[in-house]
Amino acid sequence: QVQLVESGGGLVQAGGSLRLSCAASGRSYTNNAIGWFRQAPGTEREFVAGISWSGGSSDYADSVKGRFTISRDNAKNTVYLQMNSLKPEDTAVYYCAASAMLTSPIWVGVNSYEYHYWGQGTQVTVSS
């Protein structure tokens, strides 16, 4: 079991930055790939970024490439999503999720069904 708690969301102007945190607890945290997903009202949840359990591989949605960076600090049991150059279309509830799949240390899942433990979400609102 992995428990996840997101924080760091808020209201920011377009062009601004936020750093989201995903604090994890539970055994084998360092062996879980972690993904960030987001969901805006009336839309389906979409993949944003993910990082492999080794930390050696990451993946990003095309819409955030070059603007967002995912990282993990195992000493703090925390995964971060640094979001720069934010746009109004980034407005959503952001969720972090951990995968229970036993796979390659460089694997990153991009589908919701590949993740099994989810945080409660944190709201990000970007104003024009």
Side-chain angles (χ1 to χ4, degrees):
Q1 295 284 336
V2 178
Q3 292 78 47
L4 305 171
V5 179
E6 303 98 330
S7 62
L11 176 64
V12 65
Q13 290 184 308
S17 298
L18 286 172
R19 188 178 73 164
L20 305 184
S21 298
C22 176
S25 62
R27 67 183 183 90
S28 300
Y29 159 76
T30 58
N31 295 117
N32 293 109
I34 303 294
W36 284 97
F37 293 78
R38 66 188 182 188
Q39 187 168 23
T43 70
E44 294 187 348
R45 187 169 298 179
E46 66 174 347
F47 173 78
V48 177
I51 189 166
S52 64
W53 66 256
S54 71
S57 183
S58 59
D59 198 10
Y60 300 89
D62 288 342
S63 60
V64 306
K65 285 181 179 177
R67 300 189 296 122
F68 291 10
T69 303
I70 189 170
S71 62
R72 63 194 304 165
D73 184 342
N74 288 340
K76 297 181 178 180
N77 293 328
T78 301
V79 174
Y80 302 98
L81 184 67
Q82 179 66 46
M83 306 186 295
N84 298 326
S85 302
L86 283 162
K87 305 175 181 179
E89 52 262 45
D90 295 318
T91 296
V93 176
Y94 284 69
Y95 301 88
C96 67
S99 177
M101 296 176 62
L102 181 61
T103 188
S104 166
I106 61 170
W107 175 83
V108 180
V110 299
N111 301 297
S112 294
Y113 63 80
E114 294 171 314
Y115 293 85
H116 308 90
Y117 307 106
W118 294 80
Q120 83 287 353
T122 185
Q123 177 71 47
V124 172
T125 303
V126 184
S127 63
S128 300

